[in-house]
Amino acid sequence: MSEAKWSVGAGLEGRGVIITGASGGIGSAVTKAFASAGARILAIDINQERIDTVLSDCDGDGHIGLVEDLNDLDSHEGIVERAVRDLGGVFALVHTAAVLRRASNIDAVTEGDWDFQLDTNLKATFFFSRTVASEMIDAGQGGRIILFSSQGWQTGGFGGSVVYAASKGGIVTMSRGLARTYGPHGIAVNTIAPGQIKTPMLLTDLDPAVYERMTKDTPLGYVGEPEDIAGVAVFLASDHARYISGATINVSGGFLMY
Ligand SMILES: NC(=O)c1ccc[n+]([C@@H]2O[C@H](COP(=O)([O-])OP(=O)(O)OC[C@H]3O[C@@H](n4cnc5c(N)ncnc54)[C@H](O)[C@@H]3O)[C@@H](O)[C@H]2O)c1
């Protein structure tokens, strides 16, 4: 690695970035943040109108929004090909797409609940990351893969989220394996583990008393905003983070300390 020309900028101007879950709570903030940093974005989610709304609020131009269900593994190659063709390459993947199905009674968890969460959160993540990494290897310029875990990987989850937490534990382990696998190609792989962030996912079926307790138990005194995560994703893709790989970044306002 050559000597850095030091700059406070992220170094993302004109770089192609794929963002999944791009119209979700965190994904939309991540998309706007990367656009502000000058990146060109391919935004993936399952609802065109919501993607269009997010992209219409983004700085820059040349961004693309695609409706894709990432559980359809056959769609992955085409998504990456589109990014290469229309963005000029893929420097980073920020993979926020995931699902949570709470079950306050563990005996109510069905095989369907298990498959839905593990398929989306872990299986699709593995295959999509591998497809993106394969393109990065072919391009020979290195790259960044940023995955999303959760505080649940450490705590086992709150409010009926054991299965979700298991999928997020898998993300931490898998991202370490991917970091070892792809490091020799100059591809850094890291995971962000948010604490509690105010998004549709957190608030779905959440007992208000649990929300109150989360606020009280967070040393910084509030439940996080999506922007509190977006800056960390930009940092991990930036020049400043070029020697970080295999890390799990705890972004929880001090709720967890590790
Ligand atoms: N909000 C929190 O408190 C919190 C805490 C810990 C971890 N996280 C993690 O952060 C990430 C973002 O969460 P969020 O709170 O923004 O959730 P969200 O539900 O607001 O957004 C998730 C997005 O992913 C999309 N998505 C789901 N399945 C998909 C599929 N098969 N194909 C394409 N898109 C799909 C959804 O449509 C949605 O827009 C997730 O990985 C989540 O597990 C969130």
Side-chain angles (χ1 to χ4, degrees), residues 21-27 44-46 50 68-71 95-99 120 148-151 164 168 193-202:
S23 63
I26 290 173
I44 310 281
D45 211 305
I46 51 179
R50 279 171 44 209
E68 299 283 356
D69 177 352
L70 292 164
N71 287 341
H95 182 61
T96 83
V99 289
T120 307
F148 272 72
S149 182
S150 160
Q151 49 72 25
Y164 168 85
K168 293 299 182 175
Q196 285 95 13
I197 308 297
K198 213 185 289 166
T199 71
M201 179 182 285
L202 178 74

PDB file of all heavy atoms in Angstrom, residues 21-27 44-46 50 68-71 95-99 120 148-151 164 168 193-202, ligand 1:
ATOM      1  N   GLY A  21     -31.239  -2.926   0.982  1.00  0.00           N
ATOM      2  CA  GLY A  21     -32.147  -2.433   2.030  1.00  0.00           C
ATOM      3  C   GLY A  21     -32.194  -0.920   1.999  1.00  0.00           C
ATOM      4  O   GLY A  21     -32.425  -0.259   3.010  1.00  0.00           O
ATOM      5  N   ALA A  22     -31.984  -0.371   0.792  1.00  0.00           N
ATOM      6  CA  ALA A  22     -31.706   1.063   0.646  1.00  0.00           C
ATOM      7  C   ALA A  22     -32.884   1.962   0.974  1.00  0.00           C
ATOM      8  O   ALA A  22     -32.703   3.165   1.150  1.00  0.00           O
ATOM      9  CB  ALA A  22     -31.225   1.353  -0.778  1.00  0.00           C
ATOM     10  N   SER A  23     -34.089   1.400   1.064  1.00  0.00           N
ATOM     11  CA  SER A  23     -35.196   2.269   1.455  1.00  0.00           C
ATOM     12  C   SER A  23     -35.632   1.997   2.887  1.00  0.00           C
ATOM     13  O   SER A  23     -36.642   2.527   3.354  1.00  0.00           O
ATOM     14  CB  SER A  23     -36.377   2.125   0.484  1.00  0.00           C
ATOM     15  OG  SER A  23     -36.872   0.821   0.524  1.00  0.00           O
ATOM     16  N   GLY A  24     -34.870   1.183   3.607  1.00  0.00           N
ATOM     17  CA  GLY A  24     -35.177   0.937   5.013  1.00  0.00           C
ATOM     18  C   GLY A  24     -34.721   2.100   5.875  1.00  0.00           C
ATOM     19  O   GLY A  24     -34.165   3.092   5.388  1.00  0.00           O
ATOM     20  N   GLY A  25     -34.953   1.979   7.168  1.00  0.00           N
ATOM     21  CA  GLY A  25     -34.595   3.055   8.098  1.00  0.00           C
ATOM     22  C   GLY A  25     -33.116   3.406   8.024  1.00  0.00           C
ATOM     23  O   GLY A  25     -32.731   4.550   7.756  1.00  0.00           O
ATOM     24  N   ILE A  26     -32.275   2.411   8.238  1.00  0.00           N
ATOM     25  CA  ILE A  26     -30.824   2.651   8.206  1.00  0.00           C
ATOM     26  C   ILE A  26     -30.343   2.776   6.766  1.00  0.00           C
ATOM     27  O   ILE A  26     -29.550   3.668   6.430  1.00  0.00           O
ATOM     28  CB  ILE A  26     -30.083   1.517   8.956  1.00  0.00           C
ATOM     29  CG1 ILE A  26     -30.358   1.632  10.464  1.00  0.00           C
ATOM     30  CG2 ILE A  26     -28.585   1.551   8.663  1.00  0.00           C
ATOM     31  CD1 ILE A  26     -29.841   0.486  11.310  1.00  0.00           C
ATOM     32  N   GLY A  27     -30.846   1.914   5.872  1.00  0.00           N
ATOM     33  CA  GLY A  27     -30.390   1.910   4.478  1.00  0.00           C
ATOM     34  C   GLY A  27     -30.614   3.244   3.790  1.00  0.00           C
ATOM     35  O   GLY A  27     -29.777   3.695   2.999  1.00  0.00           O
ATOM     36  N   ILE A  44     -30.745  -1.089  -3.783  1.00  0.00           N
ATOM     37  CA  ILE A  44     -31.610  -2.267  -3.932  1.00  0.00           C
ATOM     38  C   ILE A  44     -32.619  -2.319  -2.793  1.00  0.00           C
ATOM     39  O   ILE A  44     -32.240  -2.166  -1.623  1.00  0.00           O
ATOM     40  CB  ILE A  44     -30.784  -3.573  -3.800  1.00  0.00           C
ATOM     41  CG1 ILE A  44     -29.554  -3.565  -4.683  1.00  0.00           C
ATOM     42  CG2 ILE A  44     -31.651  -4.808  -4.012  1.00  0.00           C
ATOM     43  CD1 ILE A  44     -29.808  -3.873  -6.085  1.00  0.00           C
ATOM     44  N   ASP A  45     -33.860  -2.559  -3.113  1.00  0.00           N
ATOM     45  CA  ASP A  45     -34.865  -2.895  -2.089  1.00  0.00           C
ATOM     46  C   ASP A  45     -36.047  -3.535  -2.799  1.00  0.00           C
ATOM     47  O   ASP A  45     -35.965  -3.804  -4.004  1.00  0.00           O
ATOM     48  CB  ASP A  45     -35.276  -1.668  -1.260  1.00  0.00           C
ATOM     49  CG  ASP A  45     -35.649  -2.051   0.179  1.00  0.00           C
ATOM     50  OD1 ASP A  45     -36.531  -2.909   0.364  1.00  0.00           O
ATOM     51  OD2 ASP A  45     -35.051  -1.511   1.123  1.00  0.00           O
ATOM     52  N   ILE A  46     -37.126  -3.744  -2.058  1.00  0.00           N
ATOM     53  CA  ILE A  46     -38.224  -4.496  -2.670  1.00  0.00           C
ATOM     54  C   ILE A  46     -39.402  -3.621  -3.078  1.00  0.00           C
ATOM     55  O   ILE A  46     -40.421  -4.137  -3.502  1.00  0.00           O
ATOM     56  CB  ILE A  46     -38.700  -5.639  -1.736  1.00  0.00           C
ATOM     57  CG1 ILE A  46     -38.986  -5.110  -0.334  1.00  0.00           C
ATOM     58  CG2 ILE A  46     -37.680  -6.742  -1.671  1.00  0.00           C
ATOM     59  CD1 ILE A  46     -39.491  -6.175   0.623  1.00  0.00           C
ATOM     60  N   ARG A  50     -40.523   3.473  -2.830  1.00  0.00           N
ATOM     61  CA  ARG A  50     -39.722   3.897  -1.671  1.00  0.00           C
ATOM     62  C   ARG A  50     -38.267   4.150  -2.083  1.00  0.00           C
ATOM     63  O   ARG A  50     -37.623   5.079  -1.597  1.00  0.00           O
ATOM     64  CB  ARG A  50     -39.825   2.854  -0.563  1.00  0.00           C
ATOM     65  CG  ARG A  50     -41.132   3.031   0.233  1.00  0.00           C
ATOM     66  CD  ARG A  50     -41.400   1.905   1.208  1.00  0.00           C
ATOM     67  NE  ARG A  50     -40.221   1.507   1.962  1.00  0.00           N
ATOM     68  CZ  ARG A  50     -40.020   0.284   2.438  1.00  0.00           C
ATOM     69  NH1 ARG A  50     -40.898  -0.669   2.233  1.00  0.00           N
ATOM     70  NH2 ARG A  50     -38.941   0.008   3.118  1.00  0.00           N
ATOM     71  N   GLU A  68     -35.316  -5.651  -6.202  1.00  0.00           N
ATOM     72  CA  GLU A  68     -34.834  -7.033  -6.259  1.00  0.00           C
ATOM     73  C   GLU A  68     -35.090  -7.683  -4.912  1.00  0.00           C
ATOM     74  O   GLU A  68     -34.868  -7.063  -3.866  1.00  0.00           O
ATOM     75  CB  GLU A  68     -33.314  -7.091  -6.520  1.00  0.00           C
ATOM     76  CG  GLU A  68     -32.851  -6.476  -7.814  1.00  0.00           C
ATOM     77  CD  GLU A  68     -33.116  -7.342  -9.037  1.00  0.00           C
ATOM     78  OE1 GLU A  68     -33.600  -8.491  -8.885  1.00  0.00           O
ATOM     79  OE2 GLU A  68     -32.849  -6.856 -10.154  1.00  0.00           O
ATOM     80  N   ASP A  69     -35.514  -8.928  -4.953  1.00  0.00           N
ATOM     81  CA  ASP A  69     -35.601  -9.727  -3.730  1.00  0.00           C
ATOM     82  C   ASP A  69     -34.307 -10.535  -3.647  1.00  0.00           C
ATOM     83  O   ASP A  69     -34.082 -11.441  -4.460  1.00  0.00           O
ATOM     84  CB  ASP A  69     -36.819 -10.655  -3.806  1.00  0.00           C
ATOM     85  CG  ASP A  69     -36.917 -11.553  -2.587  1.00  0.00           C
ATOM     86  OD1 ASP A  69     -35.981 -11.585  -1.764  1.00  0.00           O
ATOM     87  OD2 ASP A  69     -37.949 -12.254  -2.470  1.00  0.00           O
ATOM     88  N   LEU A  70     -33.468 -10.196  -2.699  1.00  0.00           N
ATOM     89  CA  LEU A  70     -32.142 -10.827  -2.633  1.00  0.00           C
ATOM     90  C   LEU A  70     -32.215 -12.301  -2.245  1.00  0.00           C
ATOM     91  O   LEU A  70     -31.217 -13.018  -2.351  1.00  0.00           O
ATOM     92  CB  LEU A  70     -31.235 -10.051  -1.677  1.00  0.00           C
ATOM     93  CG  LEU A  70     -30.871  -8.655  -2.204  1.00  0.00           C
ATOM     94  CD1 LEU A  70     -30.319  -7.775  -1.085  1.00  0.00           C
ATOM     95  CD2 LEU A  70     -29.861  -8.743  -3.346  1.00  0.00           C
ATOM     96  N   ASN A  71     -33.393 -12.736  -1.794  1.00  0.00           N
ATOM     97  CA  ASN A  71     -33.551 -14.171  -1.536  1.00  0.00           C
ATOM     98  C   ASN A  71     -33.580 -14.971  -2.837  1.00  0.00           C
ATOM     99  O   ASN A  71     -33.426 -16.187  -2.811  1.00  0.00           O
ATOM    100  CB  ASN A  71     -34.831 -14.434  -0.745  1.00  0.00           C
ATOM    101  CG  ASN A  71     -34.677 -13.990   0.690  1.00  0.00           C
ATOM    102  OD1 ASN A  71     -33.561 -13.826   1.180  1.00  0.00           O
ATOM    103  ND2 ASN A  71     -35.780 -13.771   1.374  1.00  0.00           N
ATOM    104  N   HIS A  95     -24.418  -3.790   2.902  1.00  0.00           N
ATOM    105  CA  HIS A  95     -25.543  -4.729   2.841  1.00  0.00           C
ATOM    106  C   HIS A  95     -26.393  -4.610   4.113  1.00  0.00           C
ATOM    107  O   HIS A  95     -26.126  -5.274   5.115  1.00  0.00           O
ATOM    108  CB  HIS A  95     -24.970  -6.140   2.691  1.00  0.00           C
ATOM    109  CG  HIS A  95     -26.010  -7.201   2.578  1.00  0.00           C
ATOM    110  ND1 HIS A  95     -26.937  -7.248   1.568  1.00  0.00           N
ATOM    111  CD2 HIS A  95     -26.289  -8.264   3.368  1.00  0.00           C
ATOM    112  CE1 HIS A  95     -27.727  -8.289   1.725  1.00  0.00           C
ATOM    113  NE2 HIS A  95     -27.352  -8.917   2.821  1.00  0.00           N
ATOM    114  N   THR A  96     -27.414  -3.753   4.052  1.00  0.00           N
ATOM    115  CA  THR A  96     -28.246  -3.562   5.253  1.00  0.00           C
ATOM    116  C   THR A  96     -29.494  -4.440   5.251  1.00  0.00           C
ATOM    117  O   THR A  96     -30.142  -4.580   6.279  1.00  0.00           O
ATOM    118  CB  THR A  96     -28.699  -2.081   5.431  1.00  0.00           C
ATOM    119  OG1 THR A  96     -29.847  -1.810   4.631  1.00  0.00           O
ATOM    120  CG2 THR A  96     -27.587  -1.102   5.130  1.00  0.00           C
ATOM    121  N   ALA A  97     -29.874  -4.997   4.101  1.00  0.00           N
ATOM    122  CA  ALA A  97     -31.164  -5.716   4.002  1.00  0.00           C
ATOM    123  C   ALA A  97     -31.243  -6.862   5.008  1.00  0.00           C
ATOM    124  O   ALA A  97     -30.331  -7.680   5.101  1.00  0.00           O
ATOM    125  CB  ALA A  97     -31.347  -6.253   2.584  1.00  0.00           C
ATOM    126  N   ALA A  98     -32.321  -6.888   5.748  1.00  0.00           N
ATOM    127  CA  ALA A  98     -32.539  -7.973   6.713  1.00  0.00           C
ATOM    128  C   ALA A  98     -33.982  -7.918   7.179  1.00  0.00           C
ATOM    129  O   ALA A  98     -34.687  -6.935   6.921  1.00  0.00           O
ATOM    130  CB  ALA A  98     -31.595  -7.820   7.920  1.00  0.00           C
ATOM    131  N   VAL A  99     -34.410  -8.969   7.854  1.00  0.00           N
ATOM    132  CA  VAL A  99     -35.772  -9.016   8.391  1.00  0.00           C
ATOM    133  C   VAL A  99     -35.748  -9.487   9.839  1.00  0.00           C
ATOM    134  O   VAL A  99     -34.847 -10.220  10.258  1.00  0.00           O
ATOM    135  CB  VAL A  99     -36.671  -9.961   7.562  1.00  0.00           C
ATOM    136  CG1 VAL A  99     -36.986  -9.365   6.200  1.00  0.00           C
ATOM    137  CG2 VAL A  99     -36.045 -11.344   7.414  1.00  0.00           C
ATOM    138  N   THR A 120     -32.902 -14.724   4.557  1.00  0.00           N
ATOM    139  CA  THR A 120     -32.640 -13.326   4.188  1.00  0.00           C
ATOM    140  C   THR A 120     -31.364 -12.820   4.849  1.00  0.00           C
ATOM    141  O   THR A 120     -30.497 -12.237   4.192  1.00  0.00           O
ATOM    142  CB  THR A 120     -33.824 -12.425   4.620  1.00  0.00           C
ATOM    143  OG1 THR A 120     -35.022 -12.972   4.084  1.00  0.00           O
ATOM    144  CG2 THR A 120     -33.635 -10.995   4.142  1.00  0.00           C
ATOM    145  N   PHE A 148     -24.106  -6.107   8.091  1.00  0.00           N
ATOM    146  CA  PHE A 148     -24.821  -5.634   9.278  1.00  0.00           C
ATOM    147  C   PHE A 148     -25.158  -6.784  10.214  1.00  0.00           C
ATOM    148  O   PHE A 148     -25.884  -7.701   9.861  1.00  0.00           O
ATOM    149  CB  PHE A 148     -26.092  -4.867   8.884  1.00  0.00           C
ATOM    150  CG  PHE A 148     -25.805  -3.417   8.662  1.00  0.00           C
ATOM    151  CD1 PHE A 148     -25.105  -3.013   7.530  1.00  0.00           C
ATOM    152  CD2 PHE A 148     -26.169  -2.467   9.593  1.00  0.00           C
ATOM    153  CE1 PHE A 148     -24.781  -1.673   7.338  1.00  0.00           C
ATOM    154  CE2 PHE A 148     -25.861  -1.125   9.416  1.00  0.00           C
ATOM    155  CZ  PHE A 148     -25.158  -0.721   8.285  1.00  0.00           C
ATOM    156  N   SER A 149     -24.628  -6.692  11.429  1.00  0.00           N
ATOM    157  CA  SER A 149     -25.038  -7.579  12.511  1.00  0.00           C
ATOM    158  C   SER A 149     -26.014  -6.785  13.385  1.00  0.00           C
ATOM    159  O   SER A 149     -26.786  -5.966  12.875  1.00  0.00           O
ATOM    160  CB  SER A 149     -23.811  -8.060  13.284  1.00  0.00           C
ATOM    161  OG  SER A 149     -24.209  -8.956  14.295  1.00  0.00           O
ATOM    162  N   SER A 150     -25.954  -6.993  14.674  1.00  0.00           N
ATOM    163  CA  SER A 150     -26.876  -6.343  15.622  1.00  0.00           C
ATOM    164  C   SER A 150     -26.299  -6.547  17.008  1.00  0.00           C
ATOM    165  O   SER A 150     -25.510  -7.486  17.218  1.00  0.00           O
ATOM    166  CB  SER A 150     -28.235  -7.044  15.537  1.00  0.00           C
ATOM    167  OG  SER A 150     -28.990  -6.796  16.699  1.00  0.00           O
ATOM    168  N   GLN A 151     -26.737  -5.725  17.965  1.00  0.00           N
ATOM    169  CA  GLN A 151     -26.347  -6.010  19.361  1.00  0.00           C
ATOM    170  C   GLN A 151     -26.733  -7.447  19.735  1.00  0.00           C
ATOM    171  O   GLN A 151     -26.128  -8.054  20.609  1.00  0.00           O
ATOM    172  CB  GLN A 151     -26.958  -5.000  20.344  1.00  0.00           C
ATOM    173  CG  GLN A 151     -28.451  -4.734  20.216  1.00  0.00           C
ATOM    174  CD  GLN A 151     -29.341  -5.866  20.689  1.00  0.00           C
ATOM    175  OE1 GLN A 151     -28.931  -6.668  21.517  1.00  0.00           O
ATOM    176  NE2 GLN A 151     -30.535  -5.925  20.157  1.00  0.00           N
ATOM    177  N   TYR A 164     -33.628 -14.184  15.033  1.00  0.00           N
ATOM    178  CA  TYR A 164     -32.954 -13.048  14.388  1.00  0.00           C
ATOM    179  C   TYR A 164     -31.528 -12.921  14.952  1.00  0.00           C
ATOM    180  O   TYR A 164     -30.552 -12.760  14.200  1.00  0.00           O
ATOM    181  CB  TYR A 164     -33.776 -11.793  14.668  1.00  0.00           C
ATOM    182  CG  TYR A 164     -33.120 -10.483  14.345  1.00  0.00           C
ATOM    183  CD1 TYR A 164     -33.168  -9.950  13.053  1.00  0.00           C
ATOM    184  CD2 TYR A 164     -32.467  -9.732  15.337  1.00  0.00           C
ATOM    185  CE1 TYR A 164     -32.586  -8.718  12.758  1.00  0.00           C
ATOM    186  CE2 TYR A 164     -31.887  -8.510  15.054  1.00  0.00           C
ATOM    187  CZ  TYR A 164     -31.943  -8.006  13.771  1.00  0.00           C
ATOM    188  OH  TYR A 164     -31.363  -6.792  13.483  1.00  0.00           O
ATOM    189  N   LYS A 168     -27.762 -13.029  13.204  1.00  0.00           N
ATOM    190  CA  LYS A 168     -26.802 -11.922  13.303  1.00  0.00           C
ATOM    191  C   LYS A 168     -25.474 -12.374  13.917  1.00  0.00           C
ATOM    192  O   LYS A 168     -24.420 -11.800  13.652  1.00  0.00           O
ATOM    193  CB  LYS A 168     -27.428 -10.772  14.089  1.00  0.00           C
ATOM    194  CG  LYS A 168     -28.611 -10.115  13.349  1.00  0.00           C
ATOM    195  CD  LYS A 168     -28.154  -9.515  12.020  1.00  0.00           C
ATOM    196  CE  LYS A 168     -29.242  -8.810  11.264  1.00  0.00           C
ATOM    197  NZ  LYS A 168     -28.747  -8.142  10.051  1.00  0.00           N
ATOM    198  N   ALA A 193     -22.401  -3.477  14.085  1.00  0.00           N
ATOM    199  CA  ALA A 193     -23.390  -4.051  14.999  1.00  0.00           C
ATOM    200  C   ALA A 193     -24.119  -2.903  15.701  1.00  0.00           C
ATOM    201  O   ALA A 193     -23.660  -2.398  16.739  1.00  0.00           O
ATOM    202  CB  ALA A 193     -22.712  -4.957  16.015  1.00  0.00           C
ATOM    203  N   PRO A 194     -25.249  -2.463  15.127  1.00  0.00           N
ATOM    204  CA  PRO A 194     -25.985  -1.377  15.783  1.00  0.00           C
ATOM    205  C   PRO A 194     -26.587  -1.859  17.106  1.00  0.00           C
ATOM    206  O   PRO A 194     -26.906  -3.042  17.258  1.00  0.00           O
ATOM    207  CB  PRO A 194     -27.119  -1.046  14.791  1.00  0.00           C
ATOM    208  CG  PRO A 194     -26.720  -1.677  13.489  1.00  0.00           C
ATOM    209  CD  PRO A 194     -25.887  -2.870  13.863  1.00  0.00           C
ATOM    210  N   GLY A 195     -26.738  -0.909  18.018  1.00  0.00           N
ATOM    211  CA  GLY A 195     -27.522  -1.185  19.229  1.00  0.00           C
ATOM    212  C   GLY A 195     -28.982  -1.040  18.831  1.00  0.00           C
ATOM    213  O   GLY A 195     -29.444  -1.693  17.904  1.00  0.00           O
ATOM    214  N   GLN A 196     -29.714  -0.153  19.509  1.00  0.00           N
ATOM    215  CA  GLN A 196     -31.106   0.078  19.109  1.00  0.00           C
ATOM    216  C   GLN A 196     -31.195   1.371  18.325  1.00  0.00           C
ATOM    217  O   GLN A 196     -30.782   2.421  18.807  1.00  0.00           O
ATOM    218  CB  GLN A 196     -32.002   0.151  20.341  1.00  0.00           C
ATOM    219  CG  GLN A 196     -32.270  -1.204  20.953  1.00  0.00           C
ATOM    220  CD  GLN A 196     -31.317  -1.535  22.071  1.00  0.00           C
ATOM    221  OE1 GLN A 196     -30.616  -0.676  22.559  1.00  0.00           O
ATOM    222  NE2 GLN A 196     -31.291  -2.783  22.480  1.00  0.00           N
ATOM    223  N   ILE A 197     -31.728   1.258  17.109  1.00  0.00           N
ATOM    224  CA  ILE A 197     -31.824   2.413  16.220  1.00  0.00           C
ATOM    225  C   ILE A 197     -33.295   2.581  15.826  1.00  0.00           C
ATOM    226  O   ILE A 197     -33.947   1.591  15.448  1.00  0.00           O
ATOM    227  CB  ILE A 197     -30.970   2.196  14.947  1.00  0.00           C
ATOM    228  CG1 ILE A 197     -29.527   1.808  15.312  1.00  0.00           C
ATOM    229  CG2 ILE A 197     -30.997   3.450  14.069  1.00  0.00           C
ATOM    230  CD1 ILE A 197     -28.727   2.835  16.077  1.00  0.00           C
ATOM    231  N   LYS A 198     -33.761   3.830  15.898  1.00  0.00           N
ATOM    232  CA  LYS A 198     -35.189   4.103  15.675  1.00  0.00           C
ATOM    233  C   LYS A 198     -35.545   3.922  14.197  1.00  0.00           C
ATOM    234  O   LYS A 198     -35.367   4.835  13.383  1.00  0.00           O
ATOM    235  CB  LYS A 198     -35.479   5.543  16.107  1.00  0.00           C
ATOM    236  CG  LYS A 198     -36.862   5.729  16.685  1.00  0.00           C
ATOM    237  CD  LYS A 198     -37.143   7.170  16.993  1.00  0.00           C
ATOM    238  CE  LYS A 198     -36.355   7.687  18.181  1.00  0.00           C
ATOM    239  NZ  LYS A 198     -36.394   9.159  18.270  1.00  0.00           N
ATOM    240  N   THR A 199     -36.025   2.744  13.836  1.00  0.00           N
ATOM    241  CA  THR A 199     -36.433   2.438  12.454  1.00  0.00           C
ATOM    242  C   THR A 199     -37.684   1.565  12.532  1.00  0.00           C
ATOM    243  O   THR A 199     -38.023   1.038  13.599  1.00  0.00           O
ATOM    244  CB  THR A 199     -35.343   1.632  11.710  1.00  0.00           C
ATOM    245  OG1 THR A 199     -35.303   0.312  12.262  1.00  0.00           O
ATOM    246  CG2 THR A 199     -33.981   2.279  11.770  1.00  0.00           C
ATOM    247  N   PRO A 200     -38.334   1.349  11.362  1.00  0.00           N
ATOM    248  CA  PRO A 200     -39.508   0.464  11.365  1.00  0.00           C
ATOM    249  C   PRO A 200     -39.191  -0.912  11.961  1.00  0.00           C
ATOM    250  O   PRO A 200     -40.005  -1.498  12.674  1.00  0.00           O
ATOM    251  CB  PRO A 200     -39.845   0.346   9.874  1.00  0.00           C
ATOM    252  CG  PRO A 200     -39.311   1.602   9.253  1.00  0.00           C
ATOM    253  CD  PRO A 200     -38.088   1.961  10.044  1.00  0.00           C
ATOM    254  N   MET A 201     -37.968  -1.412  11.695  1.00  0.00           N
ATOM    255  CA  MET A 201     -37.644  -2.749  12.211  1.00  0.00           C
ATOM    256  C   MET A 201     -37.663  -2.775  13.731  1.00  0.00           C
ATOM    257  O   MET A 201     -38.243  -3.664  14.348  1.00  0.00           O
ATOM    258  CB  MET A 201     -36.270  -3.208  11.706  1.00  0.00           C
ATOM    259  CG  MET A 201     -35.876  -4.580  12.239  1.00  0.00           C
ATOM    260  SD  MET A 201     -34.257  -5.130  11.715  1.00  0.00           S
ATOM    261  CE  MET A 201     -34.528  -5.596  10.038  1.00  0.00           C
ATOM    262  N   LEU A 202     -37.047  -1.784  14.355  1.00  0.00           N
ATOM    263  CA  LEU A 202     -36.991  -1.780  15.820  1.00  0.00           C
ATOM    264  C   LEU A 202     -38.397  -1.664  16.406  1.00  0.00           C
ATOM    265  O   LEU A 202     -38.743  -2.338  17.373  1.00  0.00           O
ATOM    266  CB  LEU A 202     -36.135  -0.603  16.319  1.00  0.00           C
ATOM    267  CG  LEU A 202     -36.064  -0.492  17.845  1.00  0.00           C
ATOM    268  CD1 LEU A 202     -35.167  -1.581  18.425  1.00  0.00           C
ATOM    269  CD2 LEU A 202     -35.569   0.871  18.300  1.00  0.00           C
TER     270      LEU A 202
HETATM  271  N1  LIG B   1     -32.991  -0.757  13.807  1.00  0.00           N
HETATM  272  C1  LIG B   1     -32.264  -1.344  14.724  1.00  0.00           C
HETATM  273  O1  LIG B   1     -32.419  -1.096  15.926  1.00  0.00           O
HETATM  274  C2  LIG B   1     -31.209  -2.343  14.348  1.00  0.00           C
HETATM  275  C3  LIG B   1     -30.456  -2.895  15.397  1.00  0.00           C
HETATM  276  C4  LIG B   1     -29.485  -3.818  15.078  1.00  0.00           C
HETATM  277  C5  LIG B   1     -29.245  -4.174  13.775  1.00  0.00           C
HETATM  278  N2  LIG B   1     -29.985  -3.623  12.768  1.00  0.00           N
HETATM  279  C6  LIG B   1     -29.676  -4.060  11.408  1.00  0.00           C
HETATM  280  O2  LIG B   1     -29.511  -2.930  10.568  1.00  0.00           O
HETATM  281  C7  LIG B   1     -29.937  -3.261   9.238  1.00  0.00           C
HETATM  282  C8  LIG B   1     -30.981  -2.266   8.754  1.00  0.00           C
HETATM  283  O3  LIG B   1     -32.114  -2.356   9.636  1.00  0.00           O
HETATM  284  P1  LIG B   1     -33.302  -1.281   9.680  1.00  0.00           P
HETATM  285  O4  LIG B   1     -33.605  -1.049  11.092  1.00  0.00           O
HETATM  286  O5  LIG B   1     -32.990  -0.170   8.781  1.00  0.00           O
HETATM  287  O6  LIG B   1     -34.479  -2.194   9.099  1.00  0.00           O
HETATM  288  P2  LIG B   1     -35.639  -1.806   8.064  1.00  0.00           P
HETATM  289  O7  LIG B   1     -36.654  -2.889   8.210  1.00  0.00           O
HETATM  290  O8  LIG B   1     -36.063  -0.389   8.246  1.00  0.00           O
HETATM  291  O9  LIG B   1     -34.892  -1.943   6.655  1.00  0.00           O
HETATM  292  C9  LIG B   1     -34.520  -3.178   6.099  1.00  0.00           C
HETATM  293  C10 LIG B   1     -34.731  -3.060   4.594  1.00  0.00           C
HETATM  294  O10 LIG B   1     -34.320  -4.292   3.986  1.00  0.00           O
HETATM  295  C11 LIG B   1     -35.231  -4.567   2.938  1.00  0.00           C
HETATM  296  N3  LIG B   1     -35.238  -6.004   2.654  1.00  0.00           N
HETATM  297  C12 LIG B   1     -35.645  -7.001   3.460  1.00  0.00           C
HETATM  298  N4  LIG B   1     -35.574  -8.179   2.837  1.00  0.00           N
HETATM  299  C13 LIG B   1     -35.094  -7.939   1.602  1.00  0.00           C
HETATM  300  C14 LIG B   1     -34.811  -8.767   0.483  1.00  0.00           C
HETATM  301  N5  LIG B   1     -35.026 -10.084   0.512  1.00  0.00           N
HETATM  302  N6  LIG B   1     -34.332  -8.191  -0.643  1.00  0.00           N
HETATM  303  C15 LIG B   1     -34.133  -6.844  -0.697  1.00  0.00           C
HETATM  304  N7  LIG B   1     -34.390  -6.009   0.329  1.00  0.00           N
HETATM  305  C16 LIG B   1     -34.873  -6.555   1.469  1.00  0.00           C
HETATM  306  C17 LIG B   1     -36.580  -4.115   3.500  1.00  0.00           C
HETATM  307  O11 LIG B   1     -37.544  -3.918   2.469  1.00  0.00           O
HETATM  308  C18 LIG B   1     -36.216  -2.853   4.234  1.00  0.00           C
HETATM  309  O12 LIG B   1     -36.380  -1.698   3.427  1.00  0.00           O
HETATM  310  C19 LIG B   1     -30.453  -4.693   9.301  1.00  0.00           C
HETATM  311  O13 LIG B   1     -29.445  -5.575   8.880  1.00  0.00           O
HETATM  312  C20 LIG B   1     -30.757  -4.884  10.760  1.00  0.00           C
HETATM  313  O14 LIG B   1     -30.729  -6.222  11.121  1.00  0.00           O
HETATM  314  C21 LIG B   1     -30.967  -2.722  13.030  1.00  0.00           C
END
